[in-house]
Amino acid sequence: MRTLVLGGIRSGKSQWAETTIAHAAEGAPVRYVATGRAADGDAAWAGRISAHRARRPGHWRTVETTDLAADLGEVPATATLVDDIGGWLTATMDRLDAWTGTPVGPEADDLVQAVAAFAAPLVLVSPEVGLTVVPATEAGRRFADELGTVNQRLAAVCDRVVLVVAGQPLTVKEPS
């Protein structure tokens, strides 16, 4: 089962995703794939990362990467939680210098293919466009546009899509 969990900042989407993957794994190992980089000198961001780490069970393995498609292809048989797609997109846009126009389509294609091929339980966390702060800049609009497109493409290959609002999950798509 592939699940996409959407929500705004501090909506509870990560906690809901952690509970979901723990149930899906039924005590088996879980890989937690973190896509956000620790920002040097940003105490608030470091605090958020620390809070996420503290919630994870000790037997979960954490992998920090921005090469998400390759990572998912390496271990397709282990229950995996990816937190989050926005961090992956930011790193991808940085790497490609895409903030002013370089397309990210090929990288998104690779990610969607890796998600579609993933055989073990998979939970992807992503900010929902319009529920997060988007600066009124070209780069901010580009990020929102790209994230919206990536979310739609991931939703199409996921079995389930859940929107978390104020800690409450709302099912958007159920397995057929």
Side-chain angles (χ1 to χ4, degrees):
M1 167 96 59
R2 293 176 300 272
T3 302
L4 176 62
V5 183
L6 302 168
I9 295 170
R10 300 285 198 196
S11 63
K13 63 189 177 292
S14 293
Q15 287 178 306
W16 190 88
E18 291 161 4
T19 300
T20 299
I21 197 69
H23 288 298
E26 299 176 349
V30 170
R31 294 178 67 249
Y32 185 105
V33 180
T35 64
R37 295 181 297 201
D40 294 335
D42 186 340
W45 185 247
R48 286 181 184 220
I49 291 172
S50 179
H52 276 242
R53 285 180 180 150
R55 284 197 313 254
R56 293 179 214 150
H59 68 282
W60 286 16
R61 181 172 160 248
T62 299
V63 175
E64 295 179 0
T65 185
T66 56
D67 192 358
L68 194 48
D71 181 78
L72 292 176
E74 289 175 8
V75 192
T78 301
T80 300
L81 185 150
V82 175
D83 199 355
D84 82 2
I85 300 302
W88 167 81
L89 181 59
T90 299
T92 299
M93 291 179 75
D94 283 348
R95 182 174 46 80
L96 298 174
D97 194 27
W99 297 102
T100 57
T102 303
V104 297
E107 285 72 15
D109 293 344
D110 292 346
L111 175 60
V112 170
Q113 290 171 3
V115 168
F118 202 81
L122 176 65
V123 177
L124 306 166
V125 177
S126 187
E128 176 54 34
V129 175
L131 296 180
T132 58
V133 176
V134 177
T137 63
E138 178 186 354
R141 287 187 301 273
R142 179 142 175 82
F143 178 82
D145 290 348
E146 293 292 349
L147 183 60
T149 299
V150 169
N151 282 348
Q152 289 180 50
R153 294 185 65 198
L154 290 172
V157 298
C158 284
D159 306 297
R160 180 169 58 167
V161 178
V162 175
L163 174 65
V164 178
V165 178
Q168 304 303 305
L170 302 168
T171 300
V172 176
K173 176 182 176 184
E174 285 283 1
S176 50

